[in-house]
Amino acid sequence: MKVGDLVRHFLTEQVGIVLTVVVAKPRRSIASIQVLWTTQGDSLFGPGRKEWCGEENLEHLTTA
């Protein structure tokens, strides 16, 4: 995933835009992704809120 990609959280069904991607090598092979949510879904984080998520929790919808 890269900045600008559209993603969906697997649990809450929120849709958002990737703002930041951080890969902490060699500790982890999974990236930390900061997402700007554009929909509410089943989450406490509403539209316009930012949240850090693990890459494994996001479904990649489109490429920037």
Side-chain angles (χ1 to χ4, degrees):
M1 278 183 229
K2 62 184 181 205
V3 173
D5 287 355
L6 194 61
V7 294
R8 178 174 41 221
H9 194 280
F10 84 101
L11 187 60
T12 64
E13 298 296 319
Q14 288 176 285
V15 175
I17 301 166
V18 174
L19 295 180
T20 309
V21 178
V22 177
V23 180
K25 292 183 181 178
R27 282 188 15 223
R28 295 177 13 152
S29 60
I30 298 173
S32 292
I33 312 284
Q34 186 179 34
V35 179
L36 174 65
W37 296 119
T38 58
T39 62
Q40 176 71 42
D42 295 326
S43 174
L44 297 175
F45 293 98
R49 300 286 305 268
K50 298 175 190 173
E51 178 182 17
W52 285 95
C53 300
E55 184 178 25
E56 70 278 8
N57 296 324
L58 299 171
E59 177 185 349
H60 192 230
L61 298 177
T62 61
T63 302

